[in-house]
Amino acid sequence: MIDARVAELLNQQVNKEFYSAYLYLDFSNYYYDLNLDGFGNWYRIQAQEERDHAMLFVQYLQNNGIRAKLEAIDKPAIELTGAKMVLDEGLKHEQYVTSLIHDIYDAAYSVKDFRTMQFLDWFVKEQGEEETNADNLVKKFALFGDDPKSLYMLDQELGARVYAAPSLVL
Ligand code: FEO
């Protein structure tokens, strides 16, 4: 039986992950519109990963006898005003999501819910990777973004990203 507060936070995270997917789909659309198709591809795959995260939370709740309550997903709240600022916002958003995962972990820890902590371990690691990836994009853009040839190469590199299903199976 999952503690009510932990269950509530897990349920809220379903919405947060779907919102992340929505936000990153908006990033993707923005880049395609700028003809930076590689960046568009990178964020389209990121959006797919966020949907996967949402579904993992739904599944975990379901595995514990809880029906996920689906709330409205907000429209993307960030006005996109440049290729660089999108990457900065991506990093900020991942740092925010990490803080949410840590909050759930904290709640699970406080009631000795070891099962939920173990489930969240995967997300703690995943967030570390996602923050690193987002930070790398920011740094690469700072290095290469102003030079058209280098930006083209970076766009090609990001265009090569392919979707991989999450390693966590519930
Ligand atoms: Fe699912 Fe990137 O947080």
Side-chain angles (χ1 to χ4, degrees):
M1 189 70 184
I2 296 185
D3 168 80
R5 173 73 184 144
V6 174
E8 187 191 335
L9 290 173
L10 288 165
N11 204 125
Q12 282 174 12
Q13 196 61 25
V14 173
N15 189 276
K16 300 286 185 184
E17 299 289 345
F18 275 126
Y19 175 77
S20 298
Y22 221 38
L23 181 69
Y24 292 158
L25 182 59
D26 198 40
F27 286 11
S28 172
N29 291 343
Y30 181 77
Y31 280 124
Y32 277 113
D33 200 43
L34 291 179
N35 290 316
L36 287 169
D37 291 6
F39 286 76
N41 172 66
W42 200 92
Y43 264 111
R44 186 183 284 180
I45 291 170
Q46 198 57 35
Q48 176 66 52
E49 286 199 358
E50 299 302 348
R51 285 193 292 277
D52 291 340
H53 294 169
M55 293 306 292
L56 284 166
F57 280 96
V58 170
Q59 186 66 55
Y60 181 73
L61 287 166
Q62 204 170 319
N63 289 357
N64 286 278
I66 301 168
R67 175 184 167 191
K69 190 162 173 259
L70 300 182
E71 302 288 354
I73 301 165
D74 289 339
K75 71 175 189 178
I78 303 167
E79 196 196 341
L80 307 179
T81 56
K84 181 188 178 301
M85 75 78 75
V86 174
L87 302 179
D88 292 337
E89 292 297 331
L91 175 58
K92 264 194 259 173
H93 187 70
E94 284 305 323
Q95 289 165 340
Y96 166 63
V97 174
T98 297
S99 76
L100 296 174
I101 299 291
H102 289 181
D103 287 348
I104 311 172
Y105 207 110
D106 205 30
Y109 181 76
S110 70
V111 293
K112 292 192 166 67
D113 180 352
F114 300 115
R115 190 192 300 170
T116 296
M117 286 157 66
Q118 192 192 37
F119 164 68
L120 291 172
D121 279 339
W122 184 87
F123 283 93
V124 171
K125 185 163 174 277
E126 175 76 0
Q127 281 310 121
E129 288 169 12
E130 298 214 326
E131 279 193 41
T132 300
N133 290 340
D135 189 45
N136 282 343
L137 286 181
V138 168
K139 285 177 178 155
K140 282 185 180 177
F141 200 91
L143 282 171
F144 308 121
D146 290 336
D147 174 54
K149 263 191 214 160
S150 303
L151 181 59
Y152 178 78
M153 301 274 284
L154 181 55
D155 193 55
Q156 295 287 108
E157 179 190 318
L158 300 183
R161 183 183 186 189
V162 290
Y163 168 74
S167 57
L168 179 62
V169 178
L170 296 176

